[in-house]
């Protein structure tokens, strides 16, 4: 059930230079791939708008969000403390498909956030992460992901895992005989487009989670519409999860 | 429960809390978060004769205690609205106010006539003030003569309660308000958003795809409150006030300076249940003070 409530921060933990985990009680159980709108719950009007945040985990009524500091709003949120009120609206949007066979969860940077819960809930017989970071120093939560599934780390400088881009790792795994039935990707748009190219080449179904600026998250403001190569989409309502064909020019 | 009813011409609102066009979708989007039947009414997303895709590029940006938007009046068009959307919202026990706009007098008239055929629609809100469409509303929104003739032309084809939504991007809003009154409007609503912009100093580009957008949110409340106060003194028809309403205190302020009803706008994005919270808060406030809504409205001491 969707709801909008003021809840209190139960845990706040910095996991890297610019990323933190925020946990708060939230009863509605989300589906993997859904997101929430998060704002300050103390009545302040600056920052004004809520931020769309993907769901890192949900367990027994406790919602955990993995947030990267990208601007003033997320910086101020990172400086909150346990016990401070936050408003959470959700869970919102559509969800990742489940698949019984082999599934790869491919994330780049903060795009890894929704993949933890997705993999945890996945019924795939065989699941693995491909997680890309700039460097070992800028990586986070690597042990947590390892607990959920086999994890292939890649990094821009080779300081973590191998020096490859996530889509190159996917290609290598397929060529090594580990062709998945489904890939679920979230990260920079360029990364997702590259993953799509590889998936398409090998005839693999690929699903992606898009990001957009949002005002409301519930389809009211129409602020999050983005023009993708394949279609113009309202990310909050029609997504955030889309088929890889969205990266292909519409003919 | 206090009697919170207010009258906008022949339309009776069960309470003065409305939601503003463009911030409340077509209504059903908010069903998980509030009981629409507890609102005085809601204004739909602005409807045009034909569907419109809206503006490309980035459409919203946060500003200090507010936001800029350049959605560009994306909407499903009058045909889809009447045939598909209206049946989904007709059952709500609250006033349905359809916001509409066009690019020419002919189209304003055509659209008002088509919408007026639907018996469930309680009122029409004519948008003369969207800052986000090039040939659009705001071309009409600053010229009192045009407002009067356009209002008169629309008045001829509709028996519905006709509200003219005014732009704050004018030198003297009482002139445009009086023009709407002279043209036969049943009420005026104000303020629409203030035109603003934001730049990305790193890339030295405008943030919004449309370069400029409409500023809304608590940042604009003092400007809105002043304009509503001036307008309420200048016209005899009811004034519907809006601009940055986010708390019960804001609602009270607008009513005190003379607004007959208020519209909650971008605060719906922050708390999608806020309109009901405000209606209930107003009820409690008046009950505690044993004051009537009519005593509250326009009670500012000058």
């Amino acid at each position: 059930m969707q709801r909008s409530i003021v809840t209190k921060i139960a845990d706040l933990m910095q996991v890297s230079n610019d990323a933190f985990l925020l946990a708060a009680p939230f009863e509605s159980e989300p589906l993997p791939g859904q997101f929430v709108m998060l704002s300050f719950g103390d009545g302040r009007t600056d920052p004004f708008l809520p931020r769309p945040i993907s769901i890192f985990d949900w367990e027994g009524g406790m919602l955990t969000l993995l947030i990267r500091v990208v601007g003033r709003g997320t910086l101020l949120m990172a400086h909150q403390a346990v016990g401070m009120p936050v408003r959470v609206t959700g869970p919102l949007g559509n969800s990742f498909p489940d698949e019984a066979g082999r599934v790869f969860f491919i994330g780049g940077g903060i795009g890894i956030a929704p993949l933890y819960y997705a993999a945890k809930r996945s019924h795939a017989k065989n699941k693995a992460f491909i997680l890309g970071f700039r460097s070992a120093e800028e990586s986070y939560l690597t042990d947590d992901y390892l607990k959920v599934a086999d994890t292939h780390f890649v990094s821009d400088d080779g300081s973590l895992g191998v020096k490859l881009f996530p889509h190159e790792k996917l290609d290598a795994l397929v060529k090594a005989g580990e062709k998945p039935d489904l890939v679920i990707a979230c990260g920079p748009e360029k990364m997702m487009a590259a993953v799509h190219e590889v998936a398409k080449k090998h005839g693999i179904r690929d699903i992606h989670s898009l990001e957009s600026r949002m005002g409301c998250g519930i389809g009211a403001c129409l602020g999050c519409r983005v023009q993708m190569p394949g279609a113009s989409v309202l990310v909050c309502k029609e997504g955030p999860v889309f088929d890889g064909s969205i990266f292909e020019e519409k003919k | 429960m206090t009697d919170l009813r207010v009258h906008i011409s022949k339309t009776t609102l069960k309470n003065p809390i409305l939601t503003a066009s463009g911030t409340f979708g077509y209504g059903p989007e908010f069903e998980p978060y509030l009981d629409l039947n507890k609102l005085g009414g809601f204004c739909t997303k602005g409807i045009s004769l034909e569907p419109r895709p809206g503006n490309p590029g980035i459409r919203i940006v946060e500003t200090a205690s507010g936001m800029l938007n350049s959605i560009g009046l994306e909407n499903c068009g009058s045909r889809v609205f009447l045939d598909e959307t209206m049946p989904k919202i007709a059952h709500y026990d609250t006033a349905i106010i359809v916001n509409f706009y066009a690019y020419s007098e002919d189209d304003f008239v055509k659209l008002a006539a088509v919408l007026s055929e639907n018996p469930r629609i309680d009122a029409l809100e004519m948008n003369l003030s969207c800052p986000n469409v090039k040939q659009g509303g705001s071309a009409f929104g600053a010229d009192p003569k045009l407002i009067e003739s356009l209002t008169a032309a629309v008045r001829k084809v509709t028996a519905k309660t006709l509200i003219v939504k005014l732009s704050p991007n004018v030198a003297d809003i009482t002139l445009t308000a009086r023009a709407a009154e002279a043209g036969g409007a049943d009420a005026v609503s104000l303020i629409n958003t203030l035109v603003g912009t934001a730049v990305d100093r790193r890339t030295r580009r405008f943030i919004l795809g449309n370069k400029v957008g409409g500023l809304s949110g608590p940042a604009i409340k003092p400007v809105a409150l002043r304009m509503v106060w001036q307008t309420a003194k200048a016209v005899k028809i009811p004034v519907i006030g809006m601009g940055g309403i986010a708390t019960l205190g804001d609602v009270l302020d607008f009513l005190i300076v003379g607004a007959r009803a208020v519209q909650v706008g971008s605060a719906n994005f922050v708390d999608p249940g806020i309109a009901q919270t405000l209606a209930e808060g107003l009820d409690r406030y008046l009950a505690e003070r044993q004051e009537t809504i009519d005593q509250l409205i326009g009670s500012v001491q000058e």
Side-chain angles (χ1 to χ4, degrees):
Chain A
M1 193 185 85
Q2 290 163 350
R3 64 182 81 213
S4 180
I5 60 157
V6 173
T7 178
K8 281 183 177 162
I9 298 174
D11 197 11
L12 196 65
M13 188 174 76
Q14 192 172 353
V15 296
S16 80
N17 275 342
D18 65 352
F20 63 100
L21 287 173
L22 185 155
F26 189 73
E27 277 179 26
S28 299
E29 182 171 357
L31 297 168
Q34 288 191 297
F35 66 99
V36 297
M37 297 299 284
L38 176 74
S39 58
F40 299 89
D42 55 6
R44 75 178 75 180
T45 60
D46 188 24
F48 181 59
L49 293 171
R51 303 291 191 267
I53 310 284
S54 56
I55 290 161
F56 172 74
D57 198 13
W58 186 92
E59 191 72 63
M62 185 63 72
L63 175 75
T64 306
L65 307 173
L66 172 59
I67 304 170
R68 188 163 79 97
V69 174
V70 293
R72 185 168 163 269
T74 42
L75 182 65
L76 289 170
M77 189 59 82
H79 291 163
Q80 294 293 290
V82 170
M84 303 279 268
V86 285
R87 176 174 287 280
V88 179
T89 302
L92 301 168
N94 63 357
S95 57
F96 294 131
D98 203 358
E99 161 69 50
R102 186 196 296 267
V103 180
F104 287 167
F105 299 88
I106 306 177
I110 198 64
I112 71 169
L115 303 182
Y116 180 84
Y117 186 59
K120 207 172 110 173
R121 288 296 186 94
S122 163
H123 292 93
K125 277 198 213 69
N126 193 326
K127 50 193 171 190
F129 292 111
I130 299 173
L131 303 182
F133 293 97
R134 281 210 190 90
S135 64
E137 200 191 337
E138 291 187 39
S139 69
Y140 34 81
L141 300 173
T142 50
D143 290 346
D144 298 77
Y145 282 81
L146 278 164
K147 278 179 206 153
V148 172
D150 287 343
T151 306
H152 306 277
F153 291 106
V154 299
S155 56
D156 295 0
D157 64 358
S159 59
L160 178 72
V162 290
K163 189 179 167 177
L164 286 175
F165 290 116
H167 70 280
E168 294 169 331
K169 184 68 195 177
L170 170 64
D171 197 41
L173 287 167
V174 173
K175 284 173 179 157
E178 293 187 46
K179 181 179 165 182
D181 301 293
L182 172 70
V183 301
I184 288 176
C186 184
E189 212 165 293
K190 271 186 184 163
M191 182 208 91
M192 292 190 286
V195 166
H196 170 65
E197 285 307 313
V198 173
K200 190 180 152 198
K201 184 174 81 180
H202 296 295
I204 304 162
R205 183 183 180 205
D206 60 319
I207 298 290
H208 303 259
S209 177
L210 298 191
E211 189 178 41
S212 175
R213 282 169 189 258
M214 287 184 192
C216 68
I218 63 173
C221 76
L222 309 183
C224 66
R225 182 172 290 288
V226 291
Q227 183 62 52
M228 298 298 292
S232 163
V233 292
L234 196 64
V235 176
C236 75
K237 269 304 222 206
E238 296 166 46
V241 175
F242 294 92
D243 186 84
S245 59
I246 198 150
F247 293 103
E248 291 196 26
E249 285 297 339
K250 208 169 152 186
K251 281 172 198 123
Chain B
M1 238 173 79
T2 325
D3 183 357
L4 293 177
R5 282 178 299 173
V6 294
H7 306 280
I8 307 293
S9 183
K10 58 191 168 301
T11 302
T12 300
L13 306 175
K14 61 172 79 170
N15 66 59
I17 308 295
L18 309 170
T19 56
S21 177
T23 68
F24 205 67
Y26 297 105
E29 292 87 344
F30 286 78
E31 262 187 32
Y33 311 105
L34 51 66
D35 179 356
L36 277 90
N37 303 322
K38 297 282 166 63
L39 309 183
F42 64 93
C43 299
T44 65
K45 179 85 192 141
I47 305 294
S48 51
L49 215 43
E50 302 299 328
R52 273 184 56 95
N55 289 328
I58 290 178
R59 291 175 161 198
I60 50 170
V61 56
E62 187 172 68
T63 57
S65 290
M67 61 180 285
L68 287 163
N69 90 78
S70 65
I71 308 301
L73 295 172
E74 172 180 337
N75 80 98
C76 61
S78 57
R79 194 43 49 211
V80 169
F81 175 74
L82 287 167
D83 294 348
E84 295 173 27
T85 311
M86 272 310 295
K88 287 180 204 154
I89 63 178
H91 67 282
Y92 295 130
D93 178 24
T94 191
I96 298 178
I97 302 169
V98 178
N99 184 286
F100 72 106
Y101 72 98
Y103 302 101
S104 67
E105 181 173 314
D106 279 359
D107 282 358
F108 262 113
V109 168
K110 251 188 236 169
L111 185 51
V114 173
L115 293 169
S116 298
E117 284 168 23
N118 186 303
R120 177 60 188 87
I121 294 171
D122 294 280
L124 300 180
E125 183 178 53
M126 186 157 71
N127 183 0
L128 295 180
S129 50
C130 183
N132 287 325
V133 283
K134 282 194 178 65
Q135 331 85 299
S138 54
F140 299 106
D143 182 340
K145 278 201 193 98
L146 266 176
I147 290 177
E148 184 176 339
S149 63
L150 193 56
T151 306
V154 169
R155 177 76 285 173
K156 279 193 196 119
V157 298
T158 186
K160 304 261 186 213
T161 298
L162 179 62
I163 304 162
V164 174
K165 187 167 181 177
L166 299 174
S167 169
N169 304 300
V170 292
D172 182 355
I173 199 158
T174 64
L175 298 180
T176 47
R178 283 201 188 103
E181 184 178 41
D186 293 308
V188 286
S189 57
L190 61 143
I191 61 173
N192 206 322
T193 55
L194 291 149
V195 181
T197 191
V199 293
D200 181 336
R201 65 190 73 87
R202 194 176 46 86
T203 60
R204 303 205 173 177
R205 290 171 192 272
F206 289 96
I207 294 177
L208 295 170
N210 191 47
K211 291 189 185 149
V212 300
L215 181 65
S216 64
I220 72 168
K221 185 197 147 190
V223 176
L225 195 63
R226 185 263 297 176
M227 289 187 169
V228 167
W229 167 59
Q230 289 178 322
T231 303
K233 289 200 293 185
V235 296
K236 292 192 180 66
I237 53 176
V239 174
I240 300 171
M242 79 192 92
I245 292 176
T247 65
L248 177 61
D250 297 331
V251 171
L252 296 174
D253 292 351
F254 276 90
L255 296 174
I256 287 168
V257 302
R260 186 81 59 92
V262 298
Q263 293 182 8
V264 184
S266 32
N268 293 314
F269 302 154
V270 181
D271 171 5
I274 192 162
Q276 184 181 346
T277 306
L278 295 176
E280 289 165 355
L282 180 62
D283 186 10
R284 272 198 306 277
Y285 173 87
L286 291 173
E288 278 165 20
R289 297 173 59 97
Q290 301 196 319
E291 189 177 6
T292 68
I293 187 74
D294 289 334
Q295 287 168 334
L296 177 69
I297 292 169
S299 61
V300 70
Q301 302 295 310
E302 297 212 26

